[in-house]
Amino acid sequence: MKVSEIYGKKQNKDCPSKKSLSFEIFPPKKDSELKNIDETLAVLCELEPDYISVTFGAGGSANCNRTIELAKRIKREYHVEPVVHLTCLHYNKAEIDEFANILTDAGLQNVLALRGDKNPNIAEKEDFRHASDLIAYMKAKWDFCFLGACYPECHPESDGRISDVKYLKTKVSAGAEVLLSQLFFDNKLFFRFQEDCRIADINTPIIPGIMPVINASQIRRMITMCGATFPVRFQKIIHKYEDNKEALFDAGMSYALSQIIDLLVNDIDGIHLYTMNNPLVARRICEGIRNII
Ligand code: FAD
């Protein structure tokens, strides 16, 4: 099933309050970790997400193969809809064609089309400069549902909110039907971004990405990588509990749950959970919103 159909159904008047719940996972780097991913998938799928997205490591066929293998298993063995992430900066049209053929043969229908991060160690190719180029190219040749990434606090390379939203509109016009957001810790910034999008006539579902924090180094790494604002209220929590693993887990889950509940009461279209392949995190969050989402 295409993810766009899931949102079509959710907007049905018969079930007006139902929001989507989706998870992000990453493929294991080593074969020895495959057993762990099985245990993770079993728990995640038991929680009945609407879809699970699988990340993609740019620059190498081994990375692509693991993403596709995992996506195929999610669909065949667990009967949950997978979304395959695909980056384009380091690939040419022939390589993307090959990838699209593999996805089609495997019955995989959903692609989160991404530019990918610039990496000085991997040569960029000329065919695609932006995610919108990838979507426009693939849409003309294949029948996928395309999702796109969006950034409530702007993409780190962007000139600011106006140009970021302008290029997001280009991505949607090229064919992105659902937008998944970068993680953020301050809901006000997400609501402002959503409003900017609606003013710019971007009317696709915009799904907030939430990352429950379970250790202090994880949050510091995330903030450095994506430039997310670290609200004072949250800084105090991390500072107070960073040396107590169990307390930080509880506090991190509570913070994420309070963010999610605030989003849900403000009429967002769904929640995308960055699980970090941790089934305990996903389970705890789902238990916290079982009667709410
Ligand atoms: P784009 O949409 O191309 O935007 C990149 C920059 O270019 C932005 O500053 C934008 O404003 C600007 N821009 C866009 N179009 C134009 C244009 N026509 N002209 C001029 N400027 C333009 N990375 C991975 O490697 N693997 C993953 O699996 C992965 N999954 C992700 C999932 C989500 C939900 C998110 C939010 C990000 C993910 N990323 C992943 C990271 C992503 O690849 C990076 O953030 C990357 O730097 C930008 O990708 P994009 O698709 O958003 O790029």
Side-chain angles (χ1 to χ4, degrees):
M1 178 192 248
K2 291 183 175 174
V3 161
S4 51
E5 292 173 41
I6 294 171
Y7 290 101
K9 281 191 181 162
K10 295 213 178 288
Q11 278 151 16
N12 186 326
K13 281 197 223 74
D14 297 338
C15 53
S17 64
K18 196 86 178 104
K19 309 291 182 189
S20 70
L21 174 67
S22 52
F23 299 144
E24 179 187 285
I25 60 168
F26 53 85
K29 289 206 175 69
K30 300 182 199 140
D31 285 339
S32 56
E33 291 163 355
L34 283 172
K35 187 173 174 300
N36 294 351
I37 200 73
D38 263 334
E39 288 162 12
T40 302
L41 279 182
V43 175
L44 294 184
C45 294
E46 210 178 272
L47 297 168
E48 300 184 344
D50 290 287
Y51 53 95
I52 296 181
S53 81
V54 187
T55 66
F56 183 91
S61 58
N63 293 324
C64 319
N65 292 344
R66 282 186 195 277
T67 299
I68 297 171
E69 281 317 308
L70 197 50
K72 278 195 210 166
R73 289 187 50 206
I74 290 170
K75 189 163 177 111
R76 284 196 197 140
E77 292 171 30
Y78 296 93
H79 311 291
V80 172
E81 207 48 58
V83 171
V84 175
H85 296 208
L86 172 61
T87 67
C88 62
L89 203 54
H90 308 103
Y91 298 99
N92 59 29
K93 286 181 181 169
E95 288 165 315
I96 294 294
D97 287 352
E98 199 183 319
F99 196 82
N101 282 327
I102 296 172
L103 293 184
T104 304
D105 290 346
L108 300 171
Q109 294 177 285
N110 300 291
V111 174
L112 172 56
L114 298 151
R115 185 198 71 178
D117 281 327
K118 292 177 181 284
N119 181 340
N121 300 318
I122 313 176
E124 288 175 21
K125 297 192 177 167
E126 297 295 314
D127 287 352
F128 307 100
R129 302 315 304 158
H130 301 287
S132 51
D133 302 333
L134 177 65
I135 296 172
Y137 176 73
M138 290 183 77
K139 197 173 166 64
K141 296 181 80 168
W142 287 280
D143 181 29
F144 294 112
C145 166
F146 293 100
L147 296 85
C150 65
Y151 302 83
E153 299 187 60
C154 288
H155 183 267
E157 291 163 36
S158 113
D159 293 336
R161 279 163 63 199
I162 295 176
S163 78
D164 224 32
V165 170
K166 184 176 108 187
Y167 292 128
L168 189 59
K169 173 91 179 159
T170 309
K171 193 177 328 198
V172 169
S173 302
E177 293 179 76
V178 176
L179 297 171
L180 298 184
S181 98
Q182 181 60 282
L183 61 91
F184 59 91
F185 301 105
D186 182 345
N187 286 0
K188 277 202 305 298
L189 300 173
F190 178 84
F191 294 131
R192 185 184 68 178
F193 166 73
Q194 187 177 242
E195 198 173 3
D196 287 347
C197 290
R198 299 310 183 217
I199 291 167
D201 206 21
I202 296 173
N203 296 308
T204 54
I206 302 174
I207 311 302
I210 298 295
M211 176 174 285
V213 170
I214 56 169
N215 69 62
S217 55
Q218 171 202 5
I219 187 168
R220 293 199 179 102
R221 201 172 54 246
M222 289 304 156
I223 284 167
T224 314
M225 265 170 60
C226 69
T229 300
F230 191 12
V232 175
R233 183 166 83 89
F234 198 26
Q235 286 179 34
K236 284 187 176 165
I237 292 173
I238 302 292
H239 183 67
K240 175 126 181 127
Y241 299 118
E242 65 183 317
D243 297 324
N244 180 339
K245 209 172 146 203
E246 287 77 22
L248 187 60
F249 186 87
D250 282 353
M253 291 307 111
S254 295
Y255 191 88
L257 278 168
S258 70
Q259 261 195 289
I260 291 171
I261 292 166
D262 179 48
L263 288 160
L264 290 171
V265 297
N266 278 287
D267 262 347
I268 44 81
D269 296 298
I271 297 289
H272 190 60
L273 201 64
Y274 291 105
T275 69
M276 302 298 285
N277 290 11
N278 186 331
L280 297 179
V281 166
R283 195 192 287 280
R284 180 81 165 258
I285 296 292
C286 288
E287 278 167 5
I289 54 173
R290 193 183 320 137
N291 300 308
I292 296 174
I293 196 158

